[in-house]
């Protein structure tokens, strides 16, 4: 029996109030690496409202206890309620560390938690080195030209970059036990009020979650051009991404942006179409497993980081790829 | 209304990899032949302040605050030329990641802000383009005891409140809080406007205050919560590009799909 005072807690993010974010499975994998160094137990913490189903699902993964804080004020992410709930969980569980995905939610929550608990925070971690009893967290800095290795005093918080760690596998048998965590939120000093939400109807796959990404750059030329990419993405079950110029010109919504100022991704397959290969974009996708470049300029820098290259006009090449994959899936 | 924009100079993030050199004995990064520039998101924070100034006409004063080891004059002049009114810099040899983590940065910024005239709104970038920690704005607000809103794609001010469109998965939410507050700005706000020749010339005459760490009553704690243990040049996966050809673009596309299926990359 492991000592509960020596615990690593994965903060599981719930999307649309019901679905586990894919970052959870990767964070869980990483949490076990940390737990092995400290001889610690691995727990999950979920916050939300009516989330028993999510807790049940987590019980099929390698966790000891699933701490579930169920409260109407936690139904959607709110910085002050969530901070208070995690603070109360910290008092109960007293973990060595919280691990979470480097998602939009964590970009807000993790630093709040760090300053609240007076704990060190390493954001956007992509790997680690284990040195006897010490764990060194690796994080890309300076446009990914350098990897910085950090050590942290206990307690600390780590956020991990999407797709940097293998996801933990689901187990047939249930493993974790669910424990209700009573959180008191009546006295939270709420200073931030949300007045409305605008969520795109586009229910397609998001770049953070995708195994395959079909990305376009300045070379796509128009919003209509992105429809050609969307057809390929639909066929492959992929997300549509973009470098910065198409975002700035409004050809595609901002949440598609990949690069230093957008999402940083590492999918299994990355199509870079009409993308020149500027360092700001490469910083966001260079860790992809396979990169396929399509560009009419044979000298484009993107070919230097590509595994497959096609030199030519995307308007005719991409529909032919889409067609070939459609025929293949029918066959 | 007084807006403070915190900005940082960073080595040009677009510089080639060879220009970033690791000094292993001192555990720091050195830069060869790279010009300092304004950190990307800090430019967006400044633009957000200028957008508020546009709407409120003459009633908004924008002060720029920058802390660093040796702050580049041309970089600060560019920020002033874009329309800010006044510049404050705090320089010290200890202001580097070897001596200071995000808690240190927040402490120095908070001490400097307290020394400046009373403020309504503080804007910062969502993270720096060098160390990408993304913590200073939240730490600053914590130190000052005021609310902070992150991931802003649009910022406006009305009736003593700041109203922010902030990014959430698949869209945005509109949130507000009473001033004074800190807002961390994302690139969706828009690129920093380009100054005119006249603005560039006038920037040189704008008031500038330079402080040391002693001037702002700040004592850096020796203990750091996170420490840089080592620095590594990442080994990029060696890739050799397999070019797919064909008689027509259509053939090229088909051949690519076939190659990806055959190599079990997809399917």
């Amino acid at each position: 029996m492991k000592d509960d005072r020596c615990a690593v807690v994965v903060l599981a993010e719930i999307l649309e109030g019901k679905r586990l974010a894919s970052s959870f499975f990767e964070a869980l994998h990483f949490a076990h690496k940390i737990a092995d160094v400290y001889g610690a137990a691995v727990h999950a913490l979920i916050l939300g409202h009516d989330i028993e189903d999510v807790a049940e699902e987590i019980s099929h993964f390698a966790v000891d206890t699933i701490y579930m804080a169920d409260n109407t004020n936690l139904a959607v992410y709110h910085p002050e309620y969530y901070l208070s709930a995690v603070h109360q969980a910290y008092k109960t569980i007293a973990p060595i560390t919280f691990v979470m995905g480097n998602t939009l939610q964590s970009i807000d929550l993790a630093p709040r938690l760090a300053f609240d608990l007076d704990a060190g925070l390493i954001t956007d971690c992509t790997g680690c080195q284990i040195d006897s009893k010490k764990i060194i967290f690796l994080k890309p800095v300076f446009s990914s030209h350098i990897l910085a290795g950090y050590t942290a005093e206990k307690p600390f918080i780590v956020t991990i970059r999407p797709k940097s760690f293998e996801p933990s596998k689901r187990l047939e048998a249930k493993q974790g036990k669910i424990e209700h965590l009573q959180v008191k939120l009546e006295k939270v000093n709420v200073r931030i009020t949300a007045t409305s939400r605008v969520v795109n109807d586009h229910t397609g796959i998001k770049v953070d979650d995708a195994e395959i990404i079909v990305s376009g750059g300045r070379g796509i030329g128009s919003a209509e051009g992105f429809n050609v990419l969307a057809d390929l993405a639909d066929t492959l079950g992929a997300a549509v991404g973009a470098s910065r110029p198409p975002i700035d010109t409004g050809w595609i919504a901002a949440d598609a942006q990949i690069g230093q100022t957008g999402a940083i991704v590492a999918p299994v397959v990355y199509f870079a179409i009409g993308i020149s290969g500027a360092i700001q974009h490469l910083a966001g996708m260079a860790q992809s497993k396979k990169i396929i470049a399509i560009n009419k300029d044979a000298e484009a820098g993107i070919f230097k980081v590509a595994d497959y290259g096609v030199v030519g006009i995307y308007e005719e090449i991409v529909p032919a790829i889409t067609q070939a994959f459609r025929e293949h899936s029918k066959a | 209304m007084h807006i403070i924009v915190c900005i940082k100079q960073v080595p040009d993030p677009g510089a080639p990899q060879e220009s970033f050199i690791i000094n292993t004995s001192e555990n720091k990064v050195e830069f060869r032949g790279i010009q300092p520039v304004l950190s990307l998101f800090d430019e967006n924070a400044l633009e957000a302040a200028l957008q508020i100034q546009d709407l409120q006409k003459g009633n908004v004063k924008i002060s720029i605050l920058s802390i660093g080891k040796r702050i580049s004059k041309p970089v600060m002049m560019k920020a002033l030329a874009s329309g800010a009114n006044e510049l404050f810099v705090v320089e010290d040899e200890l202001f580097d990641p070897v001596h200071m983590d995000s808690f240190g940065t927040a402490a120095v910024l908070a001490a400097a802000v307290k020394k400046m005239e009373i403020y309504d709104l503080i804007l910062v970038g969502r993270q720096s383009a060098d160390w990408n920690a993304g913590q200073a704005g939240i730490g600053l607000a914590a130190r000052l005891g005021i609310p902070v809103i992150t991931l802003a794609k649009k910022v406006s001010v009305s009736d003593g409140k700041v109203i922010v469109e902030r990014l959430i998965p698949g869209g945005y939410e509109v949130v507000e809080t009473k001033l004074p507050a800190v807002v961390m700005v994302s690139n969706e706000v828009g690129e920093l406007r380009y100054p005119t020749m006249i603005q560039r010339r006038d920037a040189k005459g704008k008031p500038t205050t330079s402080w040391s760490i002693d001037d702002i009553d700040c004592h850096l704690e020796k203990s750091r919560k996170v420490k840089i243990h080592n620095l590594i040049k990442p080994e990029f996966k060696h890739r050799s590009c397999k070019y797919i050809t064909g008689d027509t673009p259509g053939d090229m596309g088909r051949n690519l799909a076939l190659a990806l299926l055959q190599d079990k990359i997809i399917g």
Side-chain angles (χ1 to χ4, degrees):
Chain A
M1 179 76 184
K2 287 169 179 170
D3 178 0
D4 266 358
R5 302 299 289 181
C6 186
V8 172
V9 172
V10 183
L11 186 74
E13 185 171 336
I14 302 175
L15 298 172
E16 296 120 30
K18 56 186 186 293
R19 189 165 58 85
L20 268 174
S22 61
S23 59
F24 167 72
F25 310 105
E26 297 155 14
L28 180 58
H29 180 112
F30 190 45
H32 275 280
K33 285 185 181 234
I34 302 171
D36 287 348
V37 173
Y38 291 103
V42 175
H43 305 308
L45 170 64
I46 53 168
L47 314 173
H49 184 48
D50 285 339
I51 47 175
E52 281 83 4
D53 292 351
V54 184
E56 279 292 317
E57 178 57 21
I58 296 176
S59 70
H60 284 280
F61 287 82
V63 293
D64 275 25
T65 305
I66 299 130
Y67 291 95
M68 177 170 72
D70 189 317
N71 189 298
T72 49
N73 286 323
L74 300 174
V76 289
Y77 178 72
H78 181 281
E80 288 152 330
Y81 285 126
Y82 268 58
L83 177 62
S84 175
V86 181
H87 181 102
Q88 292 174 51
Y90 176 79
K91 294 290 175 202
T92 307
I93 312 166
I96 303 166
T97 178
F98 282 105
V99 184
M100 55 191 101
N102 193 49
T103 58
L104 288 177
Q105 178 177 307
S106 301
I107 286 171
D108 188 85
L109 182 59
R112 287 182 196 271
L113 192 58
F115 285 95
D116 176 69
L117 300 177
D118 207 21
L121 165 62
I122 301 147
T123 54
D124 202 24
C125 179
T126 58
C128 65
Q129 291 174 335
I130 291 159
D131 176 5
S132 64
K133 277 268 132 194
K134 204 164 48 188
I135 182 157
I136 297 149
F137 298 96
L138 300 175
K139 168 194 168 75
V141 295
F142 293 101
S143 318
S144 303
H145 287 319
I146 296 202
L147 269 179
Y150 290 93
T151 54
E153 298 295 323
K154 292 186 271 185
F156 59 90
I157 303 159
V158 190
T159 74
I160 60 160
R161 180 178 290 188
K163 301 287 179 287
S164 295
F165 299 92
E166 291 293 316
S168 280
K169 294 222 163 35
R170 191 178 193 276
L171 311 164
E172 269 315 305
K174 284 191 192 179
Q175 179 151 355
K177 59 177 189 296
I178 299 169
E179 198 166 299
H180 286 265
L181 193 73
Q182 298 303 329
V183 290
K184 294 194 170 51
L185 300 174
E186 303 80 33
K187 288 187 183 147
V188 175
N189 178 16
V190 176
R191 298 185 290 185
I192 299 169
T193 334
T195 54
S196 63
R197 291 180 145 243
V198 180
V199 178
N200 298 338
D201 292 336
H202 172 69
T203 51
I205 300 162
K206 301 275 175 278
V207 292
D208 291 333
D209 275 343
E211 297 281 310
I212 304 176
I213 297 175
V214 179
S215 260
R218 196 190 299 274
I220 299 303
S222 66
E224 292 70 39
F226 271 89
N227 294 337
V228 177
L229 273 53
D231 282 343
L232 175 59
D234 283 345
T235 305
L236 297 174
V240 178
S243 60
R244 187 160 172 171
I247 309 285
D248 288 344
T249 47
W251 298 340
I252 185 163
D255 61 358
Q257 192 186 334
I258 290 162
Q260 195 173 26
T261 58
I264 293 170
V265 297
V268 179
V269 182
Y270 189 91
F271 285 88
I273 305 171
I275 291 176
S276 60
I279 183 74
Q280 281 84 350
H281 185 69
L282 296 183
M285 48 64 79
Q287 299 301 321
S288 304
K289 310 290 175 294
K290 292 287 173 192
I291 297 171
I292 297 148
I294 301 170
N295 204 301
K296 64 180 179 195
D297 174 11
E299 301 299 315
I302 193 76
F303 289 113
K304 290 200 181 74
V305 300
D307 300 283
Y308 294 85
V310 186
V311 182
I313 50 169
Y314 85 90
E315 290 92 333
E316 291 179 45
I317 295 170
V318 175
I321 305 170
T322 308
Q323 183 63 28
F325 279 116
R326 278 189 189 147
E327 283 163 12
H328 172 78
S329 61
K330 271 189 220 140
Chain B
M1 144 162 229
H2 182 208
I3 304 177
I4 299 173
V5 184
C6 302
I7 61 172
K8 183 181 187 183
Q9 71 176 44
V10 297
D12 186 353
Q17 177 152 29
E18 311 82 80
S19 355
F20 298 87
I21 294 143
I22 296 169
N23 174 337
T24 33
S25 59
E26 291 177 60
N27 230 0
K28 62 181 191 184
V29 184
E30 290 169 354
F31 316 103
R32 210 147 292 168
I34 314 180
Q35 291 301 315
V37 297
L38 272 181
S39 186
L40 300 166
F41 293 117
D42 299 358
E43 290 203 351
N44 304 126
L46 182 51
E47 175 59 27
L50 293 166
Q51 288 172 8
I52 295 169
Q53 195 183 48
D54 290 345
L55 288 173
Q56 315 260 327
K57 301 288 176 234
N59 300 323
V60 176
K61 177 184 170 185
I62 300 173
S63 299
I64 294 167
L65 169 63
S66 190
I67 67 169
K69 228 174 176 166
R70 278 175 291 269
I71 293 173
S72 149
K73 192 133 197 217
V75 174
M76 293 302 129
M77 282 303 130
K78 183 189 171 191
L80 277 177
S82 70
N85 304 92
E86 193 168 351
L87 170 68
F88 294 82
V89 296
V90 188
E91 287 176 294
D92 196 285
E93 282 301 307
L94 290 176
F95 292 170
D96 66 34
V98 178
H99 298 96
M100 203 159 78
D101 60 14
S102 296
F103 282 79
T105 309
V108 174
L109 286 173
V113 164
K114 283 179 186 159
K115 181 113 179 153
M116 293 165 74
E117 74 181 83
I118 193 153
Y119 58 88
D120 300 284
L121 179 62
I122 302 176
L123 298 176
V124 307
R126 77 182 244 193
Q127 67 190 57
S128 68
D130 47 6
W131 295 91
N132 310 317
Q135 303 174 34
I138 285 175
L140 172 61
R143 283 265 177 177
L144 296 172
I146 60 175
V148 51
I149 296 172
T150 61
L151 295 166
K153 70 187 277 278
K154 194 170 178 205
V155 188
S156 59
V157 171
S158 142
D159 294 332
K161 287 184 297 196
V162 59
I163 299 129
V164 177
E165 290 179 11
R166 73 178 288 279
L167 302 170
I168 57 171
Y172 66 90
E173 61 179 1
V174 184
V175 298
E176 55 182 48
T177 192
K178 278 201 188 117
L179 297 173
V182 176
V183 176
M184 296 175 76
V185 176
S186 192
N187 53 293
E188 289 80 1
V189 152
E191 280 187 40
L192 179 62
R193 57 197 66 184
Y194 206 75
T196 62
M197 283 307 285
I198 295 166
Q199 283 180 309
R200 280 170 189 279
R201 196 191 57 210
D202 290 351
K204 297 190 180 89
K206 289 183 180 175
T208 299
T209 306
S210 192
W211 286 321
S212 74
I213 191 160
D214 296 329
D215 293 330
I216 57 167
D217 253 341
C218 183
H219 306 281
L220 274 187
E221 284 176 42
K222 285 245 162 27
S223 67
R224 276 163 299 134
K225 303 198 166 48
V226 297
K227 284 190 184 122
I228 297 173
H229 179 270
N230 58 343
L231 296 163
I232 315 164
K233 281 262 170 177
E235 285 180 25
F236 279 106
K237 223 167 106 180
H238 179 75
R239 300 182 197 256
S240 53
C241 188
K242 183 169 167 181
Y243 283 94
I244 308 291
T245 53
D247 292 338
T248 65
D251 285 346
M252 293 177 192
R254 266 185 297 282
N255 292 341
L256 173 67
L258 292 175
L260 294 175
L261 287 165
Q262 205 161 38
D263 297 350
K264 299 203 176 355
I265 308 296
I266 292 177

